[in-house]
Amino acid sequence: GTYISYANNGYGHSRGVEISLINRVPGAWRYRLSYTLSQTNYGYHGTYMDKLEMNEVLDQKFAYSASDFLAPEDRTHRFNSSLTYTSPEKWGPQVMGLDPFGNLSIGLVYRVSSGLSYYWSDAFQFDYKVEANRRYPIESTTDVNIERPFQFSGYNMTLSLKVRNLFDNQHLTPISDAAELNRWVQRSSTYADADNDVTRDVYIYNYFQSFKNIPREIYVTFGVDF
């Protein structure tokens, strides 16, 4: 005589402030800086049980308590920046009568944010009123792009070098397995580490189970305008 269903009684909200500084004046330098301070929460409302004989007492008994939890997606601090410099047409030392460093565009993108939140406690301790009491490490990424247009035999050409994740930073994948989470909190060991178990071999092939971002990438591009 019972059944299970779903009710639309969850909610979420994000509140904060963002400060941006943008250079709009033409020139060799271009930049954009942005800092965000925010907090993302979620919670529930209403009742989670429905009975034929529901009344005010049962409504109160089976109602969600008034509470706000820090969302797993929360990133309290975010900083994004981009900086571009374009050199004059004749700039730097000449090589065989050419100006290889002239009209050179160098772009830098840097992003950093708070790590994601998670909950952990010892096996003998558990609190249903706590959803997040720790954070994963700060995540940052640096990208660089160098581009040089030139002409050859009447064609406009472009040679560029792009490096993503310049410093090869690693962003930890949120850990769902309790044993793996214990290893991380207590010994800073991930799926990619052998840890102290001689039979543990998952680290051999589980790089992308440990880290959610791609390692350093280098692209060399050559383009021709027709």
Side-chain angles (χ1 to χ4, degrees):
T2 63
Y3 66 93
I4 297 175
S5 183
Y6 294 93
N8 185 19
N9 52 11
Y11 69 91
H13 59 83
S14 182
R15 292 173 289 186
V17 59
E18 181 178 82
I19 301 174
S20 297
L21 182 62
I22 305 173
N23 176 25
R24 299 184 182 276
V25 180
W29 291 95
R30 293 293 182 93
Y31 58 83
R32 181 186 182 97
L33 309 174
S34 175
Y35 169 72
T36 304
L37 175 66
S38 64
Q39 182 168 300
T40 303
N41 296 73
Y42 76 98
Y44 305 95
H45 67 91
T47 60
Y48 57 86
M49 182 74 73
D50 191 16
K51 293 176 174 289
L52 291 176
E53 65 276 11
M54 289 295 285
N55 51 48
E56 293 184 0
V57 175
L58 292 178
D59 278 340
Q60 185 175 4
K61 177 181 178 180
F62 296 115
Y64 286 105
S65 59
S67 57
D68 245 7
F69 300 111
L70 190 67
E73 301 83 8
D74 175 77
R75 295 185 185 273
T76 306
H77 304 280
R78 291 177 184 264
F79 177 74
N80 297 313
S81 62
S82 63
L83 177 66
T84 303
Y85 174 74
T86 304
S87 66
E89 190 169 345
K90 295 185 178 296
W91 184 72
Q94 289 189 339
V95 179
M96 301 177 63
L98 302 177
D99 296 285
F101 300 101
N103 203 20
L104 188 69
S105 177
I106 303 175
L108 176 69
V109 176
Y110 176 69
R111 299 177 292 271
V112 60
S113 64
S114 302
L116 297 173
S117 63
Y118 67 96
Y119 174 82
W120 181 88
S121 95
D122 292 327
F124 58 85
Q125 176 185 348
F126 195 86
D127 191 343
Y128 285 99
K129 297 180 182 179
V130 178
E131 290 284 318
N133 60 351
R134 291 172 176 263
R135 281 191 182 275
Y136 291 109
I138 291 175
E139 298 179 2
S140 64
T141 303
T142 304
D143 300 332
V144 175
N145 185 55
I146 302 174
E147 188 173 285
R148 172 66 161 86
F150 61 95
Q151 288 187 338
F152 182 76
S153 297
Y155 293 97
N156 294 324
M157 302 183 179
T158 302
L159 183 65
S160 68
L161 171 67
K162 179 182 293 185
V163 182
R164 293 182 178 176
N165 194 10
L166 176 66
F167 300 109
D168 204 19
N169 293 341
Q170 297 173 332
H171 301 166
L172 193 69
T173 301
I175 303 172
S176 57
D177 183 85
E180 295 297 331
L181 187 58
N182 287 339
R183 289 190 179 96
W184 162 250
V185 174
Q186 296 172 350
R187 297 187 295 277
S188 298
S189 175
T190 71
Y191 280 108
D193 300 310
D195 199 28
N196 55 9
D197 184 358
V198 295
T199 64
R200 176 180 165 86
D201 61 354
V202 295
Y203 68 95
I204 298 175
Y205 50 85
N206 268 335
Y207 177 91
F208 289 105
Q209 191 169 358
S210 301
F211 307 107
K212 60 186 177 181
N213 66 321
I214 298 176
R216 182 189 299 113
E217 299 175 285
I218 300 177
Y219 298 91
V220 178
T221 305
F222 177 75
V224 180
D225 291 339
F226 295 95

